[in-house]
PDB file of all heavy atoms in Angstrom:
ATOM      1  N   VAL A 217     -10.357  -3.709 -20.617  1.00 45.00           N
ATOM      2  CA  VAL A 217      -9.076  -3.766 -19.938  1.00 45.00           C
ATOM      3  C   VAL A 217      -8.368  -2.417 -20.037  1.00 45.00           C
ATOM      4  O   VAL A 217      -8.401  -1.746 -21.050  1.00 45.00           O
ATOM      5  CB  VAL A 217      -8.204  -4.900 -20.534  1.00 45.00           C
ATOM      6  CG1 VAL A 217      -6.821  -4.913 -19.894  1.00 45.00           C
ATOM      7  CG2 VAL A 217      -8.873  -6.236 -20.347  1.00 45.00           C
ATOM      8  N   TYR A 219      -5.271  -0.026 -20.393  1.00 46.00           N
ATOM      9  CA  TYR A 219      -3.988  -0.174 -21.049  1.00 46.00           C
ATOM     10  C   TYR A 219      -2.884   0.781 -20.597  1.00 46.00           C
ATOM     11  O   TYR A 219      -1.807   0.794 -21.158  1.00 46.00           O
ATOM     12  CB  TYR A 219      -4.148  -0.036 -22.584  1.00 46.00           C
ATOM     13  CG  TYR A 219      -4.772  -1.271 -23.165  1.00 46.00           C
ATOM     14  CD1 TYR A 219      -6.109  -1.305 -23.505  1.00 46.00           C
ATOM     15  CD2 TYR A 219      -3.993  -2.427 -23.346  1.00 46.00           C
ATOM     16  CE1 TYR A 219      -6.685  -2.449 -24.017  1.00 46.00           C
ATOM     17  CE2 TYR A 219      -4.560  -3.562 -23.850  1.00 46.00           C
ATOM     18  CZ  TYR A 219      -5.911  -3.572 -24.188  1.00 46.00           C
ATOM     19  OH  TYR A 219      -6.461  -4.699 -24.698  1.00 46.00           O
ATOM     20  N   GLN A 222       1.820   0.428 -16.744  1.00 86.00           N
ATOM     21  CA  GLN A 222       1.802  -0.003 -15.350  1.00 86.00           C
ATOM     22  C   GLN A 222       3.219  -0.251 -14.860  1.00 86.00           C
ATOM     23  O   GLN A 222       4.060  -0.713 -15.635  1.00 86.00           O
ATOM     24  CB  GLN A 222       0.972  -1.286 -15.242  1.00 86.00           C
ATOM     25  CG  GLN A 222      -0.490  -1.068 -15.596  1.00 86.00           C
ATOM     26  CD  GLN A 222      -1.265  -2.362 -15.709  1.00 86.00           C
ATOM     27  OE1 GLN A 222      -0.775  -3.420 -15.274  1.00 86.00           O
ATOM     28  NE2 GLN A 222      -2.449  -2.319 -16.280  1.00 86.00           N
ATOM     29  N   ASP A 225       4.820  -3.528 -15.803  1.00 96.00           N
ATOM     30  CA  ASP A 225       5.407  -3.662 -17.148  1.00 96.00           C
ATOM     31  C   ASP A 225       6.913  -3.474 -17.067  1.00 96.00           C
ATOM     32  O   ASP A 225       7.691  -4.283 -17.597  1.00 96.00           O
ATOM     33  CB  ASP A 225       4.868  -2.598 -18.112  1.00 96.00           C
ATOM     34  CG  ASP A 225       3.378  -2.684 -18.365  1.00 96.00           C
ATOM     35  OD1 ASP A 225       2.722  -3.447 -17.667  1.00 96.00           O
ATOM     36  OD2 ASP A 225       2.899  -1.977 -19.279  1.00 96.00           O
ATOM     37  N   THR A 235      21.507 -10.770 -17.647  1.00 94.00           N
ATOM     38  CA  THR A 235      22.560  -9.928 -17.041  1.00 94.00           C
ATOM     39  C   THR A 235      21.961  -9.066 -15.933  1.00 94.00           C
ATOM     40  O   THR A 235      22.547  -8.937 -14.854  1.00 94.00           O
ATOM     41  CB  THR A 235      23.218  -9.024 -18.106  1.00 94.00           C
ATOM     42  OG1 THR A 235      23.688  -9.850 -19.164  1.00 94.00           O
ATOM     43  CG2 THR A 235      24.368  -8.249 -17.526  1.00 94.00           C
ATOM     44  N   ARG A 237      19.267  -9.742 -14.229  1.00 96.00           N
ATOM     45  CA  ARG A 237      18.913 -10.614 -13.093  1.00 96.00           C
ATOM     46  C   ARG A 237      20.175 -10.964 -12.299  1.00 96.00           C
ATOM     47  O   ARG A 237      20.148 -11.025 -11.079  1.00 96.00           O
ATOM     48  CB  ARG A 237      18.207 -11.885 -13.586  1.00 96.00           C
ATOM     49  CG  ARG A 237      16.818 -11.639 -14.122  1.00 96.00           C
ATOM     50  CD  ARG A 237      15.943 -12.886 -14.080  1.00 96.00           C
ATOM     51  NE  ARG A 237      16.535 -14.030 -14.764  1.00 96.00           N
ATOM     52  CZ  ARG A 237      16.401 -14.271 -16.069  1.00 96.00           C
ATOM     53  NH1 ARG A 237      15.720 -13.459 -16.840  1.00 96.00           N
ATOM     54  NH2 ARG A 237      16.960 -15.326 -16.600  1.00 96.00           N
ATOM     55  N   ALA A 241      20.911 -10.337  -8.449  1.00 95.00           N
ATOM     56  CA  ALA A 241      21.278 -11.486  -7.594  1.00 95.00           C
ATOM     57  C   ALA A 241      22.555 -11.180  -6.822  1.00 95.00           C
ATOM     58  O   ALA A 241      22.693 -11.513  -5.641  1.00 95.00           O
ATOM     59  CB  ALA A 241      21.460 -12.745  -8.437  1.00 95.00           C
ATOM     60  N   GLU A 244      21.811  -8.790  -4.069  1.00 94.00           N
ATOM     61  CA  GLU A 244      21.068  -9.462  -2.984  1.00 94.00           C
ATOM     62  C   GLU A 244      22.065 -10.029  -1.970  1.00 94.00           C
ATOM     63  O   GLU A 244      21.854  -9.986  -0.758  1.00 94.00           O
ATOM     64  CB  GLU A 244      20.181 -10.571  -3.574  1.00 94.00           C
ATOM     65  CG  GLU A 244      19.232 -11.218  -2.586  1.00 94.00           C
ATOM     66  CD  GLU A 244      19.775 -12.525  -2.002  1.00 94.00           C
ATOM     67  OE1 GLU A 244      20.531 -13.224  -2.687  1.00 94.00           O
ATOM     68  OE2 GLU A 244      19.463 -12.816  -0.829  1.00 94.00           O
ATOM     69  N   ARG A 304       1.534 -14.168  -6.800  1.00 91.00           N
ATOM     70  CA  ARG A 304       1.091 -14.995  -5.679  1.00 91.00           C
ATOM     71  C   ARG A 304      -0.331 -15.537  -5.878  1.00 91.00           C
ATOM     72  O   ARG A 304      -0.692 -16.576  -5.340  1.00 91.00           O
ATOM     73  CB  ARG A 304       1.181 -14.171  -4.394  1.00 91.00           C
ATOM     74  CG  ARG A 304       1.025 -14.991  -3.145  1.00 91.00           C
ATOM     75  CD  ARG A 304       1.684 -14.330  -1.961  1.00 91.00           C
ATOM     76  NE  ARG A 304       3.051 -14.773  -1.786  1.00 91.00           N
ATOM     77  CZ  ARG A 304       3.969 -14.081  -1.115  1.00 91.00           C
ATOM     78  NH1 ARG A 304       3.670 -12.901  -0.607  1.00 91.00           N
ATOM     79  NH2 ARG A 304       5.184 -14.564  -0.976  1.00 91.00           N
ATOM     80  N   GLU A 307      -0.570 -19.094  -6.728  1.00 88.00           N
ATOM     81  CA  GLU A 307       0.046 -20.032  -5.794  1.00 88.00           C
ATOM     82  C   GLU A 307      -0.842 -21.246  -5.543  1.00 88.00           C
ATOM     83  O   GLU A 307      -0.349 -22.363  -5.395  1.00 88.00           O
ATOM     84  CB  GLU A 307       0.371 -19.328  -4.472  1.00 88.00           C
ATOM     85  CG  GLU A 307       1.688 -19.767  -3.886  1.00 88.00           C
ATOM     86  CD  GLU A 307       2.167 -18.856  -2.764  1.00 88.00           C
ATOM     87  OE1 GLU A 307       1.386 -18.065  -2.211  1.00 88.00           O
ATOM     88  OE2 GLU A 307       3.369 -18.948  -2.439  1.00 88.00           O
ATOM     89  N   ARG A 308      -2.166 -21.003  -5.505  1.00 85.00           N
ATOM     90  CA  ARG A 308      -3.075 -22.129  -5.194  1.00 85.00           C
ATOM     91  C   ARG A 308      -2.969 -23.254  -6.231  1.00 85.00           C
ATOM     92  O   ARG A 308      -3.270 -24.395  -5.916  1.00 85.00           O
ATOM     93  CB  ARG A 308      -4.511 -21.644  -5.056  1.00 85.00           C
ATOM     94  CG  ARG A 308      -5.102 -21.065  -6.331  1.00 85.00           C
ATOM     95  CD  ARG A 308      -6.550 -20.687  -6.124  1.00 85.00           C
ATOM     96  NE  ARG A 308      -7.127 -20.043  -7.292  1.00 85.00           N
ATOM     97  CZ  ARG A 308      -7.682 -20.696  -8.312  1.00 85.00           C
ATOM     98  NH1 ARG A 308      -7.711 -22.009  -8.308  1.00 85.00           N
ATOM     99  NH2 ARG A 308      -8.176 -20.027  -9.328  1.00 85.00           N
TER     100      ARG A 308
ATOM    101  N   TYR B 408      25.260 -16.914 -20.333  1.00 46.00           N
ATOM    102  CA  TYR B 408      24.311 -16.155 -21.143  1.00 46.00           C
ATOM    103  C   TYR B 408      23.296 -16.996 -21.936  1.00 46.00           C
ATOM    104  O   TYR B 408      22.534 -16.458 -22.702  1.00 46.00           O
ATOM    105  CB  TYR B 408      25.065 -15.248 -22.125  1.00 46.00           C
ATOM    106  CG  TYR B 408      25.658 -14.064 -21.419  1.00 46.00           C
ATOM    107  CD1 TYR B 408      26.987 -14.015 -21.115  1.00 46.00           C
ATOM    108  CD2 TYR B 408      24.830 -13.026 -21.026  1.00 46.00           C
ATOM    109  CE1 TYR B 408      27.514 -12.948 -20.433  1.00 46.00           C
ATOM    110  CE2 TYR B 408      25.340 -11.944 -20.336  1.00 46.00           C
ATOM    111  CZ  TYR B 408      26.694 -11.899 -20.056  1.00 46.00           C
ATOM    112  OH  TYR B 408      27.198 -10.842 -19.380  1.00 46.00           O
ATOM    113  N   GLN B 411      17.485 -18.596 -21.027  1.00 86.00           N
ATOM    114  CA  GLN B 411      16.903 -19.250 -19.856  1.00 86.00           C
ATOM    115  C   GLN B 411      15.386 -19.172 -19.907  1.00 86.00           C
ATOM    116  O   GLN B 411      14.838 -18.180 -20.383  1.00 86.00           O
ATOM    117  CB  GLN B 411      17.405 -18.549 -18.599  1.00 86.00           C
ATOM    118  CG  GLN B 411      18.917 -18.682 -18.421  1.00 86.00           C
ATOM    119  CD  GLN B 411      19.450 -17.813 -17.296  1.00 86.00           C
ATOM    120  OE1 GLN B 411      18.681 -17.302 -16.492  1.00 86.00           O
ATOM    121  NE2 GLN B 411      20.753 -17.655 -17.242  1.00 86.00           N
ATOM    122  N   ASP B 414      13.775 -15.935 -18.882  1.00 96.00           N
ATOM    123  CA  ASP B 414      13.720 -14.836 -19.858  1.00 96.00           C
ATOM    124  C   ASP B 414      12.346 -14.785 -20.520  1.00 96.00           C
ATOM    125  O   ASP B 414      11.708 -13.743 -20.614  1.00 96.00           O
ATOM    126  CB  ASP B 414      14.754 -15.040 -21.002  1.00 96.00           C
ATOM    127  CG  ASP B 414      16.187 -15.039 -20.534  1.00 96.00           C
ATOM    128  OD1 ASP B 414      16.409 -15.080 -19.304  1.00 96.00           O
ATOM    129  OD2 ASP B 414      17.080 -15.008 -21.383  1.00 96.00           O
ATOM    130  N   THR B 424      -1.891  -6.885 -21.438  1.00 94.00           N
ATOM    131  CA  THR B 424      -2.952  -7.712 -22.015  1.00 94.00           C
ATOM    132  C   THR B 424      -2.698  -9.182 -21.663  1.00 94.00           C
ATOM    133  O   THR B 424      -3.606  -9.918 -21.312  1.00 94.00           O
ATOM    134  CB  THR B 424      -3.001  -7.559 -23.548  1.00 94.00           C
ATOM    135  OG1 THR B 424      -3.155  -6.167 -23.847  1.00 94.00           O
ATOM    136  CG2 THR B 424      -4.143  -8.322 -24.170  1.00 94.00           C
ATOM    137  N   ARG B 426      -0.980 -10.278 -19.145  1.00 96.00           N
ATOM    138  CA  ARG B 426      -1.234 -10.476 -17.692  1.00 96.00           C
ATOM    139  C   ARG B 426      -2.741 -10.555 -17.429  1.00 96.00           C
ATOM    140  O   ARG B 426      -3.190 -11.350 -16.607  1.00 96.00           O
ATOM    141  CB  ARG B 426      -0.606  -9.352 -16.875  1.00 96.00           C
ATOM    142  CG  ARG B 426       0.925  -9.373 -16.868  1.00 96.00           C
ATOM    143  CD  ARG B 426       1.492  -8.645 -15.653  1.00 96.00           C
ATOM    144  NE  ARG B 426       1.032  -7.263 -15.530  1.00 96.00           N
ATOM    145  CZ  ARG B 426       1.602  -6.229 -16.141  1.00 96.00           C
ATOM    146  NH1 ARG B 426       2.646  -6.393 -16.918  1.00 96.00           N
ATOM    147  NH2 ARG B 426       1.114  -5.014 -15.947  1.00 96.00           N
ATOM    148  N   ALA B 430      -4.756 -13.498 -15.695  1.00 95.00           N
ATOM    149  CA  ALA B 430      -5.598 -13.205 -14.522  1.00 95.00           C
ATOM    150  C   ALA B 430      -7.008 -13.750 -14.741  1.00 95.00           C
ATOM    151  O   ALA B 430      -7.619 -14.297 -13.820  1.00 95.00           O
ATOM    152  CB  ALA B 430      -5.639 -11.689 -14.265  1.00 95.00           C
ATOM    153  N   GLU B 433      -6.986 -17.438 -14.308  1.00 94.00           N
ATOM    154  CA  GLU B 433      -6.833 -17.803 -12.903  1.00 94.00           C
ATOM    155  C   GLU B 433      -8.212 -17.921 -12.248  1.00 94.00           C
ATOM    156  O   GLU B 433      -8.452 -18.822 -11.467  1.00 94.00           O
ATOM    157  CB  GLU B 433      -5.964 -16.733 -12.189  1.00 94.00           C
ATOM    158  CG  GLU B 433      -5.574 -17.099 -10.754  1.00 94.00           C
ATOM    159  CD  GLU B 433      -6.505 -16.494  -9.723  1.00 94.00           C
ATOM    160  OE1 GLU B 433      -7.050 -15.414  -9.948  1.00 94.00           O
ATOM    161  OE2 GLU B 433      -6.685 -17.132  -8.662  1.00 94.00           O
ATOM    162  N   PHE B 447     -11.424  -7.544 -24.437  1.00 90.00           N
ATOM    163  CA  PHE B 447     -10.339  -6.690 -24.930  1.00 90.00           C
ATOM    164  C   PHE B 447     -10.771  -5.817 -26.108  1.00 90.00           C
ATOM    165  O   PHE B 447     -11.578  -6.237 -26.924  1.00 90.00           O
ATOM    166  CB  PHE B 447      -9.132  -7.538 -25.327  1.00 90.00           C
ATOM    167  CG  PHE B 447      -8.530  -8.266 -24.165  1.00 90.00           C
ATOM    168  CD1 PHE B 447      -8.797  -9.605 -23.948  1.00 90.00           C
ATOM    169  CD2 PHE B 447      -7.747  -7.587 -23.251  1.00 90.00           C
ATOM    170  CE1 PHE B 447      -8.269 -10.273 -22.848  1.00 90.00           C
ATOM    171  CE2 PHE B 447      -7.225  -8.236 -22.135  1.00 90.00           C
ATOM    172  CZ  PHE B 447      -7.479  -9.576 -21.945  1.00 90.00           C
ATOM    173  N   ARG B 493      11.698 -14.874  -4.748  1.00 91.00           N
ATOM    174  CA  ARG B 493      11.566 -15.109  -3.305  1.00 91.00           C
ATOM    175  C   ARG B 493      12.834 -14.800  -2.537  1.00 91.00           C
ATOM    176  O   ARG B 493      12.784 -14.481  -1.353  1.00 91.00           O
ATOM    177  CB  ARG B 493      11.106 -16.549  -3.095  1.00 91.00           C
ATOM    178  CG  ARG B 493      10.632 -16.809  -1.696  1.00 91.00           C
ATOM    179  CD  ARG B 493       9.713 -17.993  -1.630  1.00 91.00           C
ATOM    180  NE  ARG B 493       8.320 -17.617  -1.739  1.00 91.00           N
ATOM    181  CZ  ARG B 493       7.352 -18.425  -2.143  1.00 91.00           C
ATOM    182  NH1 ARG B 493       7.648 -19.657  -2.506  1.00 91.00           N
ATOM    183  NH2 ARG B 493       6.107 -18.006  -2.177  1.00 91.00           N
ATOM    184  N   TYR B 495      14.505 -12.346  -2.523  1.00 92.00           N
ATOM    185  CA  TYR B 495      14.535 -10.939  -2.096  1.00 92.00           C
ATOM    186  C   TYR B 495      13.560 -10.671  -0.954  1.00 92.00           C
ATOM    187  O   TYR B 495      13.494  -9.563  -0.450  1.00 92.00           O
ATOM    188  CB  TYR B 495      14.238 -10.009  -3.288  1.00 92.00           C
ATOM    189  CG  TYR B 495      15.221 -10.218  -4.404  1.00 92.00           C
ATOM    190  CD1 TYR B 495      14.943 -11.091  -5.451  1.00 92.00           C
ATOM    191  CD2 TYR B 495      16.491  -9.624  -4.351  1.00 92.00           C
ATOM    192  CE1 TYR B 495      15.884 -11.343  -6.438  1.00 92.00           C
ATOM    193  CE2 TYR B 495      17.421  -9.871  -5.331  1.00 92.00           C
ATOM    194  CZ  TYR B 495      17.108 -10.735  -6.373  1.00 92.00           C
ATOM    195  OH  TYR B 495      18.035 -10.983  -7.339  1.00 92.00           O
ATOM    196  N   GLU B 496      12.821 -11.713  -0.582  1.00 88.00           N
ATOM    197  CA  GLU B 496      11.745 -11.573   0.409  1.00 88.00           C
ATOM    198  C   GLU B 496      12.280 -11.016   1.730  1.00 88.00           C
ATOM    199  O   GLU B 496      11.601 -10.240   2.375  1.00 88.00           O
ATOM    200  CB  GLU B 496      11.060 -12.923   0.621  1.00 88.00           C
ATOM    201  CG  GLU B 496       9.576 -12.801   0.833  1.00 88.00           C
ATOM    202  CD  GLU B 496       8.845 -14.120   0.733  1.00 88.00           C
ATOM    203  OE1 GLU B 496       9.507 -15.188   0.831  1.00 88.00           O
ATOM    204  OE2 GLU B 496       7.623 -14.100   0.543  1.00 88.00           O
ATOM    205  N   ARG B 497      13.509 -11.436   2.080  1.00 85.00           N
ATOM    206  CA  ARG B 497      14.039 -10.994   3.374  1.00 85.00           C
ATOM    207  C   ARG B 497      14.170  -9.464   3.460  1.00 85.00           C
ATOM    208  O   ARG B 497      14.159  -8.904   4.538  1.00 85.00           O
ATOM    209  CB  ARG B 497      15.379 -11.653   3.674  1.00 85.00           C
ATOM    210  CG  ARG B 497      16.503 -11.292   2.731  1.00 85.00           C
ATOM    211  CD  ARG B 497      17.791 -11.945   3.143  1.00 85.00           C
ATOM    212  NE  ARG B 497      18.848 -11.698   2.191  1.00 85.00           N
ATOM    213  CZ  ARG B 497      19.643 -10.635   2.170  1.00 85.00           C
ATOM    214  NH1 ARG B 497      19.493  -9.697   3.065  1.00 85.00           N
ATOM    215  NH2 ARG B 497      20.579 -10.503   1.241  1.00 85.00           N
TER     216      ARG B 497
END
Side-chain angles (χ1 to χ4, degrees):
Chain A
V217 176
Y219 285 102
Q222 296 170 14
D225 297 10
T235 305
R237 290 202 305 274
E244 187 264 329
R304 192 155 268 158
E307 219 166 16
R308 64 177 176 87
Chain B
Y408 285 103
Q411 297 171 14
D414 297 10
T424 305
R426 290 203 305 274
E433 187 264 329
F447 296 102
R493 194 157 267 157
Y495 302 94
E496 218 167 18
R497 65 177 175 86

